[in-house]
């Protein structure tokens, strides 16, 4: 084979512009830039980006040092203050408790006195003058005294006013009202609020000296003025104590003010809930000292951080950024002059980086030449690759025709004769295509070759195929191939890419129609466009309710009774009209939409047939299976899961498969069908007799039903070999315990023939045309 012509090098020279560069620049100019990528934005400056990065890194650190740590310290100070308030409150409460105990003991001395007992019961009238003099009030440090008779009547009620003892009936009566009724033997004590004034009071039952008898009540009380309260506190210089109303919730409260902490704790009353609280006001000396310390700490942290950032920026700018700026200038120059290299005198890691980049540039220039040759040329044949053809012929106006050749069953040939034979076969095919100034050969896929002709050369595609299909020599003999080709030509200059697309359409047409050679014409283009339209419109057809199922009955040949219906998918497009299944089903299989269509058809058929059982209890439905569906690894599991989800019996369903579907992967198909039959789903072999059907299929496949093709039936009415085959097929199916269904029954004569031959069931226009299931139910026989 002559040596392939070298490609023109469009990437040499300083003035060359990469393909698409102008369009990219226009796109960038036309596109609205945001702040970061704008001409003056941070995205254009490494220094600004480093500053932003440092800011991003420094902000959390400063936040932690200036906010988080001080907040933690402040929280600790508050905790210390809470503990301090708790300690001081405990001290103050103990002081009050001590005073309560003292007054209680003082009251106890008077209550266990026979003279007091006699006075309370009215037998010692001189007791008041003797016992409740100024010395008693002064010595006991009390302000009020009261005695009641056993019946609760107040015998005496006195108060100290300066150096005099005066009656105090209303106050004593109010104090006695605060006591529990009846008063327990151990008495009661506490702090109460009477007439907006706080009192510390204690009361005891009056008895004789020996504890016998039960007189009235002995009561002493002390007015807790601020002066009296201050005298009771041991730490009056540390905190200030006073009595105050309790908070609304009636519990203790703690209030932090800028310079002091106020804590309130409840004080027990003789009976019932607390009426007053002990309020302590404590200076926040620790807090104020801590705040001063925190501000000093913040200042030191801020100063150290700014100094460190400034030093780091100076170092980074001098030792890194300046060097990188020079590298940027060098790389921009390298873009214009590939021979230029980075300045590499720097002794740090940046210098090592520059020297490494220089070495890589040298290595990449050498590798680029090699890779370019590999990308543009096929390594096996030496022909141009698809990319090489595109670059060579992109602006060539002399291109007139394109012939695409596909080698079918290449994997099978590799398995039969080995990879070495397949490689030699591809090389020889490329040699037979030839390669000169007017004929360019390319390898566009693993099994596809292309022959591009330039004016004024012409080729005869059929003659070229004949020459390519001449036998290939083997050590053991010869191998003959049947190739598939697509051809497109034009008498006018046509872009190479358009001509290649036309030839590809012709090749796909030949593959779809099982033809030897496809020659492009406008009808192919329209069919391809129509197929693309169908593929696009088919998406979402089920959701748009464009799909529906028609059903054709299957009847018993002897009785005429309908035993099942076959579900037939229909598509009614609002603009395209009724699209035949033979048109859109292949499109769905090629595009992968057959999975959704198959699931929708199965679910709809099961749902509608199950609903029809209300009027037709023995209804069954047959659903066709696409080859693509049957070859799914989990097909059987999906069908059984659908039955489970819809809560439909497996005996309701019959799946119909064709011979060609099964033969694509017999083992996988048999596994699926066997699993379905084990679950109760019946299996029918559809269109038996339409192709090169083998009777051995009836014994090899897990089947329940054989459906005889309509062409089989039409010829079976004549005394021909095919008629004999029909009779023998029915007889063999009966021997194998398989039911037979004849398709395409169009008149009573065919039905009579089937009855004579012993066929079980019939299907066709003579029985009923396909119709909606609800309409068929009214015609059911």
């Amino acid at each position: 084979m002559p040596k392939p012509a070298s490609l023109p090098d469009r990437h040499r020279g300083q003035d060359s512009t990469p393909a698409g560069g102008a369009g990219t620049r226009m796109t960038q100019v036309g596109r609205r830039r945001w702040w970061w990528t704008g001409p003056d934005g941070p995205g254009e400056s490494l220094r600004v980006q480093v500053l932003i990065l440092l800011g991003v890194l420094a902000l959390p650190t400063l936040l932690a040092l200036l906010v988080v740590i001080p907040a933690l310290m402040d929280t600790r100070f508050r905790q210390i203050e809470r503990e301090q308030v708790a300690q001081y409150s405990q001290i103050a409460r103990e002081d009050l408790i001590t005073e309560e105990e003292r007054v209680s003991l003082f009251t106890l001395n008077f209550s266990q006195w026979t003279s007091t007992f006699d006075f309370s019961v009215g037998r010692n009238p001189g007791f008041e003058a003797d016992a409740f003099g100024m010395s008693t009030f002064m010595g006991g440090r009390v302000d009020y005294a009261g005695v009641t008779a056993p019946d609760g009547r107040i015998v005496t009620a006195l108060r100290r006013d300066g150096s005099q003892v005066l009656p105090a009936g209303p106050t004593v009566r109010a104090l006695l009202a605060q006591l529990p009724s009846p008063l327990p033997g151990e008495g009661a004590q506490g702090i109460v609020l009477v007439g907006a004034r706080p009192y510390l009071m204690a009361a005891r039952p009056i008895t004789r000296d020996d504890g016998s008898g039960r007189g009235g009540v002995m009561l002493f009380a002390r007015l807790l003025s601020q002066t009296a309260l201050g005298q009771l506190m041991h730490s009056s210089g540390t905190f200030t104590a006073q009595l105050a109303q309790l908070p609304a919730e009636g519990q203790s409260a703690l209030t932090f003010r800028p310079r002091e902490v106020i804590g309130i704790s409840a004080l027990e009353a003789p009976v019932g809930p607390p009426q007053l609280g002990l309020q302590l006001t404590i200076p926040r000396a620790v807090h104020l000292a801590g705040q001063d310390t925190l501000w000093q700490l913040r200042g030191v942290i801020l100063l150290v951080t700014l100094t460190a950032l400034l030093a780091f920026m100076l170092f980074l700018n001098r030792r890194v950024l300046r060097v990188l700026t020079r590298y940027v200038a060098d790389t921009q120059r390298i873009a214009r002059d590939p021979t230029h290299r980075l300045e590499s005198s720097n002794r740090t890691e940046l210098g090592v980086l520059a020297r490494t980049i220089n070495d890589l540039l040298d290595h990449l220039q050498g590798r680029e030449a090699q890779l370019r040759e590999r990308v543009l040329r096929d390594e096996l044949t030496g022909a141009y690759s698809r990319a090489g053809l595109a670059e060579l012929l992109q602006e060539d106006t002399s291109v007139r025709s394109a012939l695409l050749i596909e080698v079918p069953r290449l994997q099978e040939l590799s398995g039969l004769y080995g990879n070495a034979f397949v490689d030699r076969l591809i090389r020889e095919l490329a040699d037979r295509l030839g390669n000169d100034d007017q004929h360019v050969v390319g390898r566009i896929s693993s099994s596809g070759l292309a022959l591009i002709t330039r004016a004024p050369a012409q080729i005869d595609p059929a003659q070229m195929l004949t020459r390519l299909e001449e036998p290939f020599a083997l050590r053991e003999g010869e191998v003959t191939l049947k190739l598939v080709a697509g051809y497109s030509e034009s008498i006018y200059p046509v872009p190479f890419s358009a001509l290649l697309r036309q030839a590809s359409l012709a090749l796909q047409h030949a593959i779809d129609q099982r033809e030897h050679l496809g020659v492009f014409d406008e009808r192919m283009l329209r069919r391809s466009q129509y197929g693309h339209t169908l593929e696009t419109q088919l998406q979402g057809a089920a959701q748009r309710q464009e799909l529906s199922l028609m059903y054709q009955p299957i009847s018993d040949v002897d009785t005429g009774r309908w035993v099942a219906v076959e579900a037939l998918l229909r598509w009614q497009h609002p603009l395209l009209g009724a699209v035949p299944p033979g048109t859109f089903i292949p499109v769905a299989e090629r595009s992968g939409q057959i999975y959704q269509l198959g699931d929708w058809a199965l679910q709809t058929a099961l749902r509608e047939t199950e609903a029809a059982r209300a009027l037709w209890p023995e209804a069954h439905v047959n659903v066709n299976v696409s080859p693509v569906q049957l070859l799914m690894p989990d097909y059987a599991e999906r069908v059984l899961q659908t039955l489970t989800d819809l809560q439909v019996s497996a005996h309701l369903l019959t799946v119909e498969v064709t011979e060609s579907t099964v033969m694509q992967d017999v083992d996988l198909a048999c596994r699926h069908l066997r699993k379905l039959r084990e679950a109760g789903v019946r299996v029918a072999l559809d269109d038996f007799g339409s192709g090169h059907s083998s009777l051995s299929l009836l014994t090899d496949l897990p089947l329940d039903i054989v459906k005889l093709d309509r062409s089989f039936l039409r010829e079976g009415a004549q005394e021909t070999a095919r008629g004999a085959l029909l009779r023998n097929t029915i007889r063999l199916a009966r021997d194998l315990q398989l039911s037979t269904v004849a398709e395409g029954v169009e008149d009573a004569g065919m039905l009579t023939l089937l009855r004579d031959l012993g066929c079980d069931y019939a299907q066709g226009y003579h029985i009923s045309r396909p119709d909606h299931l609800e309409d068929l139910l009214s015609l059911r026989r």
Side-chain angles (χ1 to χ4, degrees):
M1 184 178 75
K3 183 178 180 181
S6 61
L7 287 173
D9 194 342
R10 297 195 178 96
H11 298 277
R12 297 287 184 181
Q14 299 180 5
D15 298 331
S16 61
T17 302
T24 303
R25 287 194 298 272
M26 291 182 66
T27 302
Q28 292 176 348
V29 171
R31 184 175 56 199
R32 182 179 180 183
R33 294 185 173 184
W34 67 296
W35 168 75
W36 181 273
T37 57
D40 299 322
E44 302 292 329
S45 172
L46 183 59
R47 284 185 173 87
V48 176
Q49 293 180 36
V50 169
L51 284 174
I52 293 175
L53 177 62
L54 288 176
V56 171
L57 294 177
L59 282 177
T61 304
L62 288 174
L63 182 65
L65 295 176
L66 300 179
V67 178
V68 177
I69 293 178
L72 293 175
M73 295 178 65
D74 187 66
T75 302
R76 181 54 184 161
F77 289 152
R78 286 176 178 267
Q79 182 62 33
I80 293 173
E81 288 177 327
R82 287 190 180 91
E83 295 173 358
Q84 188 180 46
V85 170
Q87 293 174 358
Y88 289 162
S89 297
Q90 182 64 28
I91 293 172
R93 287 175 61 85
E94 289 177 357
D95 289 342
L96 284 177
I97 291 172
T98 300
E99 180 64 12
E100 286 182 8
E101 296 295 332
R102 186 192 67 77
V103 174
S104 178
L105 290 174
F106 187 68
T107 305
L108 179 63
N109 291 335
F110 275 84
S111 64
Q112 292 182 346
W113 197 4
T114 301
S115 297
T116 308
F117 179 83
D118 292 339
F119 177 69
S120 68
V121 297
R123 292 197 296 268
N124 187 6
F127 180 77
E128 178 178 346
D130 297 336
F132 297 109
M134 182 58 66
S135 59
T136 300
F137 287 97
M138 296 288 291
R141 295 199 300 277
V142 295
D143 299 307
Y144 290 86
V147 178
T148 67
D151 59 0
R153 177 176 49 84
I154 296 178
V155 178
T156 185
L158 302 173
R159 67 181 178 88
R160 178 174 68 90
D161 185 7
S163 59
Q164 297 179 348
V165 177
L166 302 176
T171 302
V172 171
R173 185 176 293 105
L175 290 172
L176 289 170
Q178 301 285 341
L179 297 174
S181 181
L183 185 66
E186 67 275 9
Q189 61 192 42
I191 298 175
V192 297
L193 187 65
V194 174
R197 303 175 71 184
Y199 294 88
L200 187 153
M201 60 177 292
R204 293 277 184 168
I206 298 174
T207 64
R208 296 185 180 90
D209 293 344
D210 57 1
S212 63
R214 176 75 182 224
V217 173
M218 183 71 221
L219 177 141
F220 282 107
R222 182 177 183 180
L223 176 63
L224 287 180
S225 63
Q226 190 61 40
T227 301
L229 190 64
Q231 294 172 354
L232 297 177
M233 301 293 109
H234 286 86
S235 302
S236 58
T238 306
F239 57 82
T240 301
Q242 66 183 61
L243 299 177
Q245 295 285 346
L246 286 173
E249 60 273 13
Q251 301 296 326
S252 300
L254 192 63
T255 303
F256 288 90
R257 293 181 178 176
R259 308 190 66 83
E260 60 188 12
V261 181
I262 298 176
I264 300 178
S265 57
L267 297 175
E268 293 184 1
V271 64
Q275 301 178 17
L276 291 170
L278 178 62
Q279 176 179 303
L280 299 185
T281 302
I282 306 170
R284 300 187 68 181
V286 175
H287 172 76
L288 295 175
Q291 289 295 318
D292 294 340
T293 304
L294 288 177
W295 281 113
Q296 295 173 4
L297 178 63
R298 288 189 180 99
V300 172
I301 290 173
L302 188 60
L303 180 62
V304 171
T305 302
L306 292 177
T307 303
L309 288 176
L310 181 60
F312 178 74
M313 280 300 302
L314 290 175
F315 169 80
L316 190 67
N317 184 68
R318 184 178 183 83
R319 302 294 295 172
V320 178
L321 295 180
R322 286 185 182 179
V323 178
L324 291 179
T325 302
R326 291 199 301 269
Y327 286 175
V328 170
D330 287 338
T331 54
Q332 292 174 345
R333 183 176 175 183
I334 290 173
R336 301 187 301 270
D337 179 12
T339 61
H340 183 71
R341 292 295 178 263
L342 299 179
E343 197 281 323
S344 57
S345 60
N346 192 293
R347 291 179 295 176
T348 65
E349 288 83 352
L350 292 175
V352 176
L353 174 64
R355 291 188 289 273
T356 304
I357 292 176
N358 291 338
D359 293 341
L360 287 175
L361 289 172
D362 295 336
H363 177 71
L364 287 175
Q365 279 190 338
R367 290 289 296 170
E368 182 183 2
Q370 299 176 5
L371 293 175
R372 178 177 173 78
E373 185 66 21
R374 291 184 180 182
V375 168
L376 302 180
R377 293 282 187 176
D378 176 55
E379 189 174 0
L380 177 64
T381 62
Y384 291 108
S385 64
R386 182 183 288 270
L389 287 175
E391 183 164 332
L392 175 67
L393 305 173
Q394 183 178 7
E395 299 178 0
D396 194 334
T397 59
S398 65
V399 175
R400 289 295 180 267
S401 69
L403 176 66
L404 301 185
I405 299 97
E406 183 72 19
V407 184
R409 303 183 296 117
L410 201 62
Q411 287 296 109
E412 182 179 344
L413 292 174
S414 177
L416 290 173
Y417 304 109
N419 293 331
F421 168 76
V422 171
D423 291 344
R424 184 163 61 86
L425 172 67
I426 297 297
R427 282 197 300 269
E428 189 167 343
L429 281 174
D431 290 341
R432 290 182 182 183
L433 286 172
N435 197 348
D436 52 40
D437 292 341
Q438 296 181 350
H439 298 84
V440 181
V441 178
R443 187 182 183 191
I444 57 176
S445 67
S446 61
S447 59
L449 298 171
L451 177 63
I452 312 299
T453 60
R454 293 165 163 166
Q458 294 181 346
I459 63 169
D460 182 347
Q463 184 179 355
M464 178 62 72
L465 273 182
T466 302
R467 185 157 64 91
L468 292 175
E469 291 176 344
E470 292 177 359
F472 294 87
L474 280 176
R475 183 179 303 174
E476 299 83 2
E478 295 180 338
V479 174
T480 302
L481 296 180
K482 292 297 290 183
L483 304 176
V484 183
Y487 180 71
S488 177
E489 66 177 359
S490 174
I491 60 175
Y492 305 105
V494 176
F496 162 74
S497 58
L499 199 65
L500 193 64
R501 287 197 299 270
Q502 294 174 359
S504 298
L505 287 176
L507 176 62
Q508 187 61 50
H509 173 79
I511 293 174
D512 293 341
Q513 302 299 321
R514 294 182 174 84
E515 296 177 355
H516 191 43
L517 173 65
V519 180
F520 175 80
D521 56 29
E522 291 299 325
R523 290 176 298 174
M524 289 184 186
L525 180 59
R526 288 193 294 271
R527 282 195 298 268
S528 177
Q529 292 172 342
Y530 181 66
H532 179 71
T533 300
L534 290 181
E535 180 180 339
T536 303
Q537 294 299 314
L538 194 55
Q539 296 178 0
Q543 289 75 14
R544 298 190 300 270
Q545 298 182 350
E546 297 172 7
L547 300 179
S548 62
L549 290 182
M550 304 286 280
Y551 296 87
Q552 187 173 32
I554 301 172
S555 68
D556 189 294
V557 170
D558 294 328
T559 65
R561 180 176 56 86
W562 292 359
V563 297
V565 289
E566 180 181 355
L568 304 172
L569 185 60
R570 296 292 184 263
W571 181 19
Q572 182 69 34
H573 191 273
L575 299 178
L576 302 176
V579 184
T583 301
F584 73 81
I585 291 296
V587 172
E589 291 177 340
R590 286 197 299 269
S591 64
Q593 299 182 59
I594 191 63
Y595 303 112
Q596 291 81 8
L597 291 184
D599 290 344
W600 180 89
L602 177 62
Q603 294 171 10
T604 304
L606 291 173
R607 192 181 297 111
E608 293 181 351
T609 306
E610 178 67 18
R613 283 199 160 194
L615 299 176
W616 183 13
E618 62 273 15
H620 294 79
V621 65
N622 291 23
V623 178
N624 292 281
V625 181
S626 165
V628 180
Q629 288 180 278
L630 190 61
L631 296 180
M632 293 169 59
D634 60 343
Y635 169 71
E637 288 80 0
R638 290 168 66 95
V639 172
L640 296 178
Q641 185 61 47
T642 300
L643 291 169
T644 301
D645 294 341
L646 297 179
Q647 297 181 352
V648 174
S649 170
H651 299 287
L652 180 74
L653 175 64
T654 299
V655 295
E656 295 189 7
V657 298
T658 61
E659 175 190 6
S660 59
T661 300
V662 175
M663 294 307 294
Q664 294 187 34
D665 192 334
V666 177
D667 293 337
L668 178 61
C670 287
R671 285 200 302 271
H672 286 326
L673 299 180
R674 192 173 294 112
K675 188 168 186 177
L676 292 175
R677 290 191 71 215
E678 291 173 354
V681 178
R682 288 180 293 182
V683 178
L685 181 63
D686 195 15
D687 296 337
F688 185 79
S690 60
H692 302 285
S693 300
S694 172
L695 293 177
S696 62
L697 281 177
L698 303 182
T699 60
D700 296 339
L701 297 179
L703 300 174
D704 299 283
I705 302 168
V706 178
K707 299 190 71 174
L708 306 175
D709 187 69
R710 62 185 68 243
S711 62
F712 208 169
L713 180 60
R714 283 195 300 268
E715 297 180 13
Q718 306 171 6
E719 291 296 332
T720 61
R722 196 166 181 82
L725 182 59
L726 173 61
R727 289 190 293 273
N728 290 333
T729 300
I730 294 175
R731 186 180 303 113
L732 176 60
R734 184 185 300 112
D735 293 340
L736 295 174
Q737 297 183 347
L738 301 177
S739 301
T740 52
V741 179
E743 298 180 296
V745 178
E746 299 176 354
D747 52 46
M750 288 184 177
L751 195 60
T752 302
L753 174 64
L754 292 174
R755 190 179 296 113
D756 296 338
L757 293 176
C759 184
D760 299 308
Y761 306 105
Q763 180 181 358
Y765 283 179
H766 181 67
I767 308 300
S768 175
R769 290 178 176 271
D771 204 345
H772 296 290
L773 189 55
E774 59 268 19
D775 296 331
L776 287 175
L777 291 177
S778 62
L779 304 174
R780 181 172 58 89
R781 292 175 287 185

